[in-house]
Amino acid sequence: MYLFILFCVLFLGPHLVFSETFPEYFKFAVSTSAYQVEGAWNLSGKGPSVWDWYTHTYPEKIADGSNGDIACDSYNKYEEDISFLQDLGVDYYRMSISWPRIFPSGYFNEINLEGVEYYLNLFKLLKAAGIEPLVTLYHWDLPLVYHNMGGWTNPLLADWFGEYARRCYELFGSYVKYWITLNEPQTTCTNAYSYGTFAPGYSLNGVATYICAYVHLLAHAKAYHIYHDEFYAEQQGKVSIVLVTYWGEPNNSSSEADVAAAKNFLQFSMGLLAHPIFIGNWPQVVIDEVDQKSELQGYTRSRLPKFTDEQVAYIKGTADFFGLNYYSTYMISDNTNAAEILYPPSYGTDIKITLGLNSSWPNSASSWLYNVPWGLRKLINWVSNQYNKPEIIITENGYSDDGSSIDDAGRIHYLNGHMCEVLRAISDDGCNVTGYTQWTMMDNFEWNAGYTERFGLIHVDFGSDNRTRTPKSFYEWFKNVVKTNTINCTGF
Ligand code: PNW
């Protein structure tokens, strides 16, 4: 009998019971960002951001010609938003502060107290509801003046960002214990500075791509050090950054070239930002490839800006956990042809790969988003192995619908699969994942897709003046997972 019980505990336990229960310390959250939900773009003293300028100047670059002028109107409806969060029972709420809402000129010569008050009220209400704020300092809404001075290609932005971070720690640090400096520099440096699809719409592929990453890293490190030098002793919080990549699976796993190509892809996408922070300096493969190619292209210096030894040391170790976003996977093939293409220079030809998809993967309302749950487990393992087993918080993962129905079976399917893979990464693989954040709490302004792609667990009626919020089916499903701390992974 004892032997039988021992057998059950040791062998069956982890599979039958434990594999479906999240660890006790595990935290659940939902996420939003300021520009995507707040609205009130020019009210109560707020200054303009690069997204205000971009959507107003180039409406044709947004799928439905829309903008975030009103968005979900969360500037006025935050109390209702918080009551939804409370009802959901989440441990955290990931949100961002709009820099130009509190410093309208972008600089620190004037402060908009109404904007400060807004965030203080929000944090107080969250605390009262027992919800921990996880606050992103910068989620893409750069004060317009900095864009006019070159934005993320201007290294001085690192100092301005550092000062902005200092002011936020001073103003809000007694309420906020989890800070994210920057959201997804990878996405900014590709979509916004290389391909021209996000504000400010720069098409400076292969050059600005790396300058942008360089400036983000200096800015992040500055904000991290300011916290630890000036605030940590009193505030005792944690500071990190949110990084994203697709998982890259070798197209043909028995082809050495494809396996190497998939490795390169991950170093160029995730490694570009994570290696300097978690290991030190750019990944060697990025240095080698971009330097060599720049020379072949006749540049007098590499397109990859170099860090000094002091900068390498300054950036290294500036994360108290790993903020990881995951949405989808690509099949990666080696592309030796790209190695021969010299002009125009591009990030894509630097990596020398071809991106592919598997036709069996279910799609979403976003052309780039497929339902590939195992990619998340592989990515978590890859991050754990590359960066010495950091604490990982999944800071975004989500699925888009087209807004036509609140019956979102596709979302339940996507998130059930992904959350089960997170659980396996913890219980079967021993990765240190401590939290999971669903993107996003409610339908909102989805950047260049406008309101045509909806990631919310709450539907928002953008045609109604009061932006009526209606929970989708996934809402109750997620609420139950949060409440019971368990998930049914049969068939996933
Ligand atoms: C993230 N891609 O952006 C952002 O942090 C959110 O603001 C955004 O709403 C959410 O994901 C959904 O898109 C991404 O092309 C944008 O792979 C684009 C990609 C990934 C993430």
Side-chain angles (χ1 to χ4, degrees), residues 36 139-140 183-184 187 191 198 246 325 327 368 396 439 446-447 455:
Q36 294 178 275
H139 200 123
W140 305 351
N183 180 65
E184 292 189 354
T187 307
N191 289 4
F198 280 13
Y246 290 82
N325 289 3
Y327 285 91
W368 51 272
E396 280 180 36
W439 180 270
E446 178 52 26
W447 310 115
F455 283 79

PDB file of all heavy atoms in Angstrom, residues 36 139-140 183-184 187 191 198 246 325 327 368 396 439 446-447 455, ligand 1:
ATOM      1  N   GLN A  36      -2.785  53.195 -26.026  1.00  0.00           N
ATOM      2  CA  GLN A  36      -3.787  52.289 -26.560  1.00  0.00           C
ATOM      3  C   GLN A  36      -5.143  52.369 -25.857  1.00  0.00           C
ATOM      4  O   GLN A  36      -6.147  51.985 -26.439  1.00  0.00           O
ATOM      5  CB  GLN A  36      -3.255  50.851 -26.540  1.00  0.00           C
ATOM      6  CG  GLN A  36      -2.067  50.669 -27.487  1.00  0.00           C
ATOM      7  CD  GLN A  36      -1.508  49.263 -27.448  1.00  0.00           C
ATOM      8  OE1 GLN A  36      -0.680  48.954 -26.594  1.00  0.00           O
ATOM      9  NE2 GLN A  36      -1.930  48.410 -28.348  1.00  0.00           N
ATOM     10  N   HIS A 139       5.857  52.999 -23.275  1.00  0.00           N
ATOM     11  CA  HIS A 139       5.236  52.049 -24.204  1.00  0.00           C
ATOM     12  C   HIS A 139       4.916  52.817 -25.495  1.00  0.00           C
ATOM     13  O   HIS A 139       3.753  52.976 -25.874  1.00  0.00           O
ATOM     14  CB  HIS A 139       3.996  51.423 -23.574  1.00  0.00           C
ATOM     15  CG  HIS A 139       3.555  50.133 -24.201  1.00  0.00           C
ATOM     16  ND1 HIS A 139       3.422  48.958 -23.485  1.00  0.00           N
ATOM     17  CD2 HIS A 139       3.196  49.818 -25.475  1.00  0.00           C
ATOM     18  CE1 HIS A 139       2.997  47.986 -24.295  1.00  0.00           C
ATOM     19  NE2 HIS A 139       2.855  48.492 -25.508  1.00  0.00           N
ATOM     20  N   TRP A 140       5.965  53.369 -26.109  1.00  0.00           N
ATOM     21  CA  TRP A 140       5.955  53.886 -27.479  1.00  0.00           C
ATOM     22  C   TRP A 140       5.424  55.303 -27.699  1.00  0.00           C
ATOM     23  O   TRP A 140       5.512  55.811 -28.811  1.00  0.00           O
ATOM     24  CB  TRP A 140       5.239  52.921 -28.433  1.00  0.00           C
ATOM     25  CG  TRP A 140       5.812  51.526 -28.401  1.00  0.00           C
ATOM     26  CD1 TRP A 140       6.955  51.111 -27.766  1.00  0.00           C
ATOM     27  CD2 TRP A 140       5.292  50.359 -29.047  1.00  0.00           C
ATOM     28  NE1 TRP A 140       7.173  49.765 -27.971  1.00  0.00           N
ATOM     29  CE2 TRP A 140       6.149  49.275 -28.755  1.00  0.00           C
ATOM     30  CE3 TRP A 140       4.170  50.129 -29.836  1.00  0.00           C
ATOM     31  CZ2 TRP A 140       5.932  47.980 -29.225  1.00  0.00           C
ATOM     32  CZ3 TRP A 140       3.950  48.828 -30.302  1.00  0.00           C
ATOM     33  CH2 TRP A 140       4.822  47.773 -30.001  1.00  0.00           C
ATOM     34  N   ASN A 183       9.151  49.124 -23.351  1.00  0.00           N
ATOM     35  CA  ASN A 183       8.417  48.012 -23.934  1.00  0.00           C
ATOM     36  C   ASN A 183       8.984  47.633 -25.299  1.00  0.00           C
ATOM     37  O   ASN A 183       9.034  48.467 -26.212  1.00  0.00           O
ATOM     38  CB  ASN A 183       6.943  48.369 -24.108  1.00  0.00           C
ATOM     39  CG  ASN A 183       6.155  47.216 -24.710  1.00  0.00           C
ATOM     40  OD1 ASN A 183       6.014  46.160 -24.089  1.00  0.00           O
ATOM     41  ND2 ASN A 183       5.678  47.370 -25.951  1.00  0.00           N
ATOM     42  N   GLU A 184       9.404  46.400 -25.449  1.00  0.00           N
ATOM     43  CA  GLU A 184       9.765  45.808 -26.745  1.00  0.00           C
ATOM     44  C   GLU A 184      10.585  46.702 -27.670  1.00  0.00           C
ATOM     45  O   GLU A 184      10.131  47.044 -28.774  1.00  0.00           O
ATOM     46  CB  GLU A 184       8.492  45.420 -27.511  1.00  0.00           C
ATOM     47  CG  GLU A 184       7.695  44.302 -26.925  1.00  0.00           C
ATOM     48  CD  GLU A 184       6.566  43.837 -27.877  1.00  0.00           C
ATOM     49  OE1 GLU A 184       6.353  44.475 -28.921  1.00  0.00           O
ATOM     50  OE2 GLU A 184       5.922  42.835 -27.563  1.00  0.00           O
ATOM     51  N   THR A 187      10.570  45.676 -31.353  1.00  0.00           N
ATOM     52  CA  THR A 187       9.464  46.061 -32.228  1.00  0.00           C
ATOM     53  C   THR A 187       9.641  47.503 -32.700  1.00  0.00           C
ATOM     54  O   THR A 187       9.424  47.823 -33.868  1.00  0.00           O
ATOM     55  CB  THR A 187       8.119  45.879 -31.493  1.00  0.00           C
ATOM     56  OG1 THR A 187       8.063  44.555 -30.976  1.00  0.00           O
ATOM     57  CG2 THR A 187       6.945  46.104 -32.413  1.00  0.00           C
ATOM     58  N   ASN A 191       9.800  47.783 -36.638  1.00  0.00           N
ATOM     59  CA  ASN A 191       8.599  48.379 -37.238  1.00  0.00           C
ATOM     60  C   ASN A 191       8.687  49.901 -37.383  1.00  0.00           C
ATOM     61  O   ASN A 191       8.260  50.458 -38.389  1.00  0.00           O
ATOM     62  CB  ASN A 191       7.357  48.028 -36.406  1.00  0.00           C
ATOM     63  CG  ASN A 191       6.983  46.568 -36.546  1.00  0.00           C
ATOM     64  OD1 ASN A 191       7.684  45.803 -37.198  1.00  0.00           O
ATOM     65  ND2 ASN A 191       5.889  46.165 -35.937  1.00  0.00           N
ATOM     66  N   PHE A 198       5.322  51.574 -38.026  1.00  0.00           N
ATOM     67  CA  PHE A 198       4.856  52.175 -36.769  1.00  0.00           C
ATOM     68  C   PHE A 198       5.437  53.589 -36.681  1.00  0.00           C
ATOM     69  O   PHE A 198       6.469  53.876 -37.314  1.00  0.00           O
ATOM     70  CB  PHE A 198       5.374  51.379 -35.552  1.00  0.00           C
ATOM     71  CG  PHE A 198       4.600  50.123 -35.229  1.00  0.00           C
ATOM     72  CD1 PHE A 198       3.678  49.573 -36.111  1.00  0.00           C
ATOM     73  CD2 PHE A 198       4.805  49.475 -34.009  1.00  0.00           C
ATOM     74  CE1 PHE A 198       2.980  48.405 -35.802  1.00  0.00           C
ATOM     75  CE2 PHE A 198       4.111  48.314 -33.687  1.00  0.00           C
ATOM     76  CZ  PHE A 198       3.198  47.777 -34.577  1.00  0.00           C
ATOM     77  N   TYR A 246       9.674  36.356 -31.878  1.00  0.00           N
ATOM     78  CA  TYR A 246       8.999  35.150 -32.319  1.00  0.00           C
ATOM     79  C   TYR A 246       9.906  33.997 -31.901  1.00  0.00           C
ATOM     80  O   TYR A 246      11.130  34.158 -31.824  1.00  0.00           O
ATOM     81  CB  TYR A 246       8.906  35.118 -33.845  1.00  0.00           C
ATOM     82  CG  TYR A 246       7.956  36.136 -34.432  1.00  0.00           C
ATOM     83  CD1 TYR A 246       8.344  37.458 -34.620  1.00  0.00           C
ATOM     84  CD2 TYR A 246       6.672  35.757 -34.802  1.00  0.00           C
ATOM     85  CE1 TYR A 246       7.467  38.380 -35.184  1.00  0.00           C
ATOM     86  CE2 TYR A 246       5.800  36.679 -35.360  1.00  0.00           C
ATOM     87  CZ  TYR A 246       6.201  37.981 -35.542  1.00  0.00           C
ATOM     88  OH  TYR A 246       5.337  38.890 -36.090  1.00  0.00           O
ATOM     89  N   ASN A 325       7.715  38.754 -23.704  1.00  0.00           N
ATOM     90  CA  ASN A 325       6.479  38.736 -24.507  1.00  0.00           C
ATOM     91  C   ASN A 325       6.609  37.680 -25.593  1.00  0.00           C
ATOM     92  O   ASN A 325       7.651  37.562 -26.234  1.00  0.00           O
ATOM     93  CB  ASN A 325       6.260  40.091 -25.208  1.00  0.00           C
ATOM     94  CG  ASN A 325       5.875  41.198 -24.236  1.00  0.00           C
ATOM     95  OD1 ASN A 325       5.813  40.992 -23.028  1.00  0.00           O
ATOM     96  ND2 ASN A 325       5.626  42.377 -24.776  1.00  0.00           N
ATOM     97  N   TYR A 327       4.171  35.915 -28.877  1.00  0.00           N
ATOM     98  CA  TYR A 327       2.926  35.820 -29.635  1.00  0.00           C
ATOM     99  C   TYR A 327       2.894  34.675 -30.636  1.00  0.00           C
ATOM    100  O   TYR A 327       1.876  34.019 -30.802  1.00  0.00           O
ATOM    101  CB  TYR A 327       2.634  37.139 -30.370  1.00  0.00           C
ATOM    102  CG  TYR A 327       2.133  38.230 -29.443  1.00  0.00           C
ATOM    103  CD1 TYR A 327       3.015  39.113 -28.833  1.00  0.00           C
ATOM    104  CD2 TYR A 327       0.786  38.350 -29.158  1.00  0.00           C
ATOM    105  CE1 TYR A 327       2.553  40.101 -27.968  1.00  0.00           C
ATOM    106  CE2 TYR A 327       0.308  39.328 -28.298  1.00  0.00           C
ATOM    107  CZ  TYR A 327       1.194  40.207 -27.705  1.00  0.00           C
ATOM    108  OH  TYR A 327       0.736  41.162 -26.848  1.00  0.00           O
ATOM    109  N   TRP A 368       0.213  38.289 -38.669  1.00  0.00           N
ATOM    110  CA  TRP A 368       1.481  37.796 -38.146  1.00  0.00           C
ATOM    111  C   TRP A 368       1.321  36.841 -36.955  1.00  0.00           C
ATOM    112  O   TRP A 368       2.307  36.335 -36.432  1.00  0.00           O
ATOM    113  CB  TRP A 368       2.363  38.977 -37.725  1.00  0.00           C
ATOM    114  CG  TRP A 368       1.639  39.945 -36.806  1.00  0.00           C
ATOM    115  CD1 TRP A 368       0.877  41.017 -37.175  1.00  0.00           C
ATOM    116  CD2 TRP A 368       1.606  39.901 -35.374  1.00  0.00           C
ATOM    117  NE1 TRP A 368       0.366  41.642 -36.061  1.00  0.00           N
ATOM    118  CE2 TRP A 368       0.804  40.980 -34.939  1.00  0.00           C
ATOM    119  CE3 TRP A 368       2.185  39.051 -34.404  1.00  0.00           C
ATOM    120  CZ2 TRP A 368       0.552  41.243 -33.585  1.00  0.00           C
ATOM    121  CZ3 TRP A 368       1.931  39.326 -33.055  1.00  0.00           C
ATOM    122  CH2 TRP A 368       1.122  40.402 -32.667  1.00  0.00           C
ATOM    123  N   GLU A 396       3.462  39.654 -21.741  1.00  0.00           N
ATOM    124  CA  GLU A 396       2.397  39.709 -22.741  1.00  0.00           C
ATOM    125  C   GLU A 396       2.296  38.376 -23.456  1.00  0.00           C
ATOM    126  O   GLU A 396       3.317  37.749 -23.775  1.00  0.00           O
ATOM    127  CB  GLU A 396       2.654  40.761 -23.840  1.00  0.00           C
ATOM    128  CG  GLU A 396       2.341  42.171 -23.472  1.00  0.00           C
ATOM    129  CD  GLU A 396       2.621  43.148 -24.605  1.00  0.00           C
ATOM    130  OE1 GLU A 396       2.396  42.795 -25.787  1.00  0.00           O
ATOM    131  OE2 GLU A 396       3.064  44.262 -24.304  1.00  0.00           O
ATOM    132  N   TRP A 439      -2.336  39.777 -22.747  1.00  0.00           N
ATOM    133  CA  TRP A 439      -2.565  40.998 -23.515  1.00  0.00           C
ATOM    134  C   TRP A 439      -3.870  40.813 -24.263  1.00  0.00           C
ATOM    135  O   TRP A 439      -3.928  39.926 -25.108  1.00  0.00           O
ATOM    136  CB  TRP A 439      -1.414  41.261 -24.506  1.00  0.00           C
ATOM    137  CG  TRP A 439      -1.695  42.516 -25.268  1.00  0.00           C
ATOM    138  CD1 TRP A 439      -2.382  42.656 -26.451  1.00  0.00           C
ATOM    139  CD2 TRP A 439      -1.354  43.848 -24.853  1.00  0.00           C
ATOM    140  NE1 TRP A 439      -2.496  43.980 -26.793  1.00  0.00           N
ATOM    141  CE2 TRP A 439      -1.873  44.725 -25.839  1.00  0.00           C
ATOM    142  CE3 TRP A 439      -0.670  44.376 -23.737  1.00  0.00           C
ATOM    143  CZ2 TRP A 439      -1.724  46.120 -25.734  1.00  0.00           C
ATOM    144  CZ3 TRP A 439      -0.521  45.750 -23.652  1.00  0.00           C
ATOM    145  CH2 TRP A 439      -1.046  46.603 -24.652  1.00  0.00           C
ATOM    146  N   GLU A 446      -4.916  49.209 -31.709  1.00  0.00           N
ATOM    147  CA  GLU A 446      -3.865  48.248 -32.030  1.00  0.00           C
ATOM    148  C   GLU A 446      -2.903  48.833 -33.082  1.00  0.00           C
ATOM    149  O   GLU A 446      -2.748  48.308 -34.187  1.00  0.00           O
ATOM    150  CB  GLU A 446      -4.514  46.922 -32.467  1.00  0.00           C
ATOM    151  CG  GLU A 446      -3.589  45.802 -32.896  1.00  0.00           C
ATOM    152  CD  GLU A 446      -2.473  45.437 -31.915  1.00  0.00           C
ATOM    153  OE1 GLU A 446      -2.621  45.652 -30.702  1.00  0.00           O
ATOM    154  OE2 GLU A 446      -1.440  44.944 -32.402  1.00  0.00           O
ATOM    155  N   TRP A 447      -2.274  49.955 -32.745  1.00  0.00           N
ATOM    156  CA  TRP A 447      -1.233  50.568 -33.574  1.00  0.00           C
ATOM    157  C   TRP A 447      -1.655  50.698 -35.045  1.00  0.00           C
ATOM    158  O   TRP A 447      -2.744  51.197 -35.287  1.00  0.00           O
ATOM    159  CB  TRP A 447       0.088  49.806 -33.372  1.00  0.00           C
ATOM    160  CG  TRP A 447       0.404  49.632 -31.906  1.00  0.00           C
ATOM    161  CD1 TRP A 447       0.462  48.463 -31.204  1.00  0.00           C
ATOM    162  CD2 TRP A 447       0.661  50.676 -30.936  1.00  0.00           C
ATOM    163  NE1 TRP A 447       0.749  48.706 -29.867  1.00  0.00           N
ATOM    164  CE2 TRP A 447       0.873  50.050 -29.678  1.00  0.00           C
ATOM    165  CE3 TRP A 447       0.729  52.082 -30.986  1.00  0.00           C
ATOM    166  CZ2 TRP A 447       1.154  50.765 -28.507  1.00  0.00           C
ATOM    167  CZ3 TRP A 447       1.019  52.784 -29.814  1.00  0.00           C
ATOM    168  CH2 TRP A 447       1.230  52.121 -28.599  1.00  0.00           C
ATOM    169  N   PHE A 455      -7.550  42.486 -29.238  1.00  0.00           N
ATOM    170  CA  PHE A 455      -6.875  41.536 -28.347  1.00  0.00           C
ATOM    171  C   PHE A 455      -7.539  41.430 -26.967  1.00  0.00           C
ATOM    172  O   PHE A 455      -7.034  40.736 -26.087  1.00  0.00           O
ATOM    173  CB  PHE A 455      -5.410  41.944 -28.156  1.00  0.00           C
ATOM    174  CG  PHE A 455      -4.501  41.603 -29.316  1.00  0.00           C
ATOM    175  CD1 PHE A 455      -4.468  42.393 -30.463  1.00  0.00           C
ATOM    176  CD2 PHE A 455      -3.682  40.488 -29.265  1.00  0.00           C
ATOM    177  CE1 PHE A 455      -3.629  42.082 -31.529  1.00  0.00           C
ATOM    178  CE2 PHE A 455      -2.844  40.151 -30.323  1.00  0.00           C
ATOM    179  CZ  PHE A 455      -2.810  40.959 -31.466  1.00  0.00           C
TER     180      PHE A 455
HETATM  181  C1  PNW B   1       2.972  44.142 -28.635  1.00  0.00           C
HETATM  182  N1  PNW B   1       4.805  41.609 -34.202  1.00  0.00           N
HETATM  183  O1  PNW B   1       3.407  44.587 -29.872  1.00  0.00           O
HETATM  184  C2  PNW B   1       2.799  45.429 -27.874  1.00  0.00           C
HETATM  185  O2  PNW B   1       3.547  45.505 -26.697  1.00  0.00           O
HETATM  186  C3  PNW B   1       1.370  45.798 -27.662  1.00  0.00           C
HETATM  187  O3  PNW B   1       1.280  47.184 -27.469  1.00  0.00           O
HETATM  188  C4  PNW B   1       0.511  45.305 -28.811  1.00  0.00           C
HETATM  189  O4  PNW B   1      -0.792  45.778 -28.766  1.00  0.00           O
HETATM  190  C5  PNW B   1       0.553  43.783 -28.760  1.00  0.00           C
HETATM  191  O5  PNW B   1       1.876  43.314 -28.797  1.00  0.00           O
HETATM  192  C6  PNW B   1      -0.233  43.105 -29.873  1.00  0.00           C
HETATM  193  O6  PNW B   1       0.305  43.459 -31.126  1.00  0.00           O
HETATM  194  C7  PNW B   1       3.708  43.769 -30.908  1.00  0.00           C
HETATM  195  O7  PNW B   1       4.630  42.063 -35.330  1.00  0.00           O
HETATM  196  C8  PNW B   1       3.534  44.295 -32.166  1.00  0.00           C
HETATM  197  O8  PNW B   1       5.343  40.480 -34.026  1.00  0.00           O
HETATM  198  C9  PNW B   1       3.908  43.578 -33.262  1.00  0.00           C
HETATM  199  C10 PNW B   1       4.450  42.318 -33.085  1.00  0.00           C
HETATM  200  C11 PNW B   1       4.615  41.775 -31.823  1.00  0.00           C
HETATM  201  C12 PNW B   1       4.239  42.518 -30.727  1.00  0.00           C
END
